[in-house]
Amino acid sequence: MSETEPTATTRAAAHPAPPAWNQWAEKRDASVSGSHGALALVATHWLGEGAAVALDGLPGRWAVDGDRVSLTAEPADALLVEDVPVDGIRLLAPDLAPDPTVVFHGGRKLVPIVREGVLAVRVYDPDAENRRTFAGIERFPYEPGLVFTARYEPYVHGHVEQVLNADGRERGLALDGDLVFQRDQVEFRLAATRTGDRFDVTFGDATNGPDTFGFRQLAAAIVRPGSGEIVVDFNRAQLPPCAFSDHFICPVPPVGNRLDLAVTAGEKRRAVTA
């Protein structure tokens, strides 16, 4: 680094972070480190068809029943749904259902999930080691030069791309169109999943490995309803859930979402105590 090249400290001093960004960062730390936040995930038990089975470390017996998880338990098992002990058979709706069911066992939170039609039970434990060793999220200083106005180019037909997940399996990722922006007259594209006025992106860049986790995620949004103007603010790039627990199955970036650009903004890594 030359004497004239700005350091992270001088860049931060020259471009102080907006209060809204500081608040966002504080909420992120609080969210992932909460009693049942991402750091608390200690297991994901995938369920197969067939007879009900015991799951490691959990009371009761668990099975697949159509599009729901079947739990068989007795009051002594202390498995609570809406503060009421499960007594007999209870059908549990997974996280993507309109009426998801959550089960509590002591301080642990048990969440049925469904991914590509396969059901599982996730276990969040406030005593997880990752929570105990969490020392915050490392971030780049706020960088106003990495905030872009983008346009959205929808695909004629949205498609599902098979992408590798953090657990080594390929799964489908629904993509609806590209967010297109320019930096220094160079055009960049990011394939996105659209939900209303929100666009979700998983991307990689030149900082991955030496400076940041292997990939990151970003939510962009239309500035004003009906305007079509979208802000891509890389200062809000965040770590995927699998950066906080090995039991998440995060999809890696789809083909084309590895940017030939060093995105020196947003979250870098999970910091841990020595």
Side-chain angles (χ1 to χ4, degrees), residues 229-248:
E229 183 179 333
I230 301 163
V231 171
V232 174
D233 183 355
F234 283 108
N235 292 287
R236 298 202 180 207
Q238 61 186 42
L239 297 171
C242 54
F244 301 103
S245 170
D246 293 337
H247 298 284
F248 286 106

Side-chain angles (χ1 to χ4, degrees), residues 80-83 92-93 99-104 108-112:
L80 307 181
V81 175
E82 297 179 347
D83 294 326
L92 313 174
D99 56 344
T101 310
V102 175
V103 182
F104 287 92
R108 295 186 295 176
K109 180 179 180 180
L110 316 180
V111 181

Side-chain angles (χ1 to χ4, degrees), residues 25-64:
E26 291 172 1
K27 287 182 179 179
R28 272 284 292 166
D29 280 3
S31 175
V32 302
S33 62
S35 297
H36 302 118
L39 288 160
L41 183 65
V42 295
T44 297
H45 300 287
W46 295 99
L47 300 173
E49 299 290 340
V53 296
L55 300 180
D56 187 30
L58 296 180
R61 298 186 72 80
W62 307 75
V64 172

Side-chain angles (χ1 to χ4, degrees), residues 35 38-39 93 106 111 115 132 134 165 205-206 236:
S35 297
L39 288 160
V111 181
R115 297 295 182 270
R132 294 196 302 270
F134 181 61
N165 281 227
D205 70 279
R236 298 202 180 207

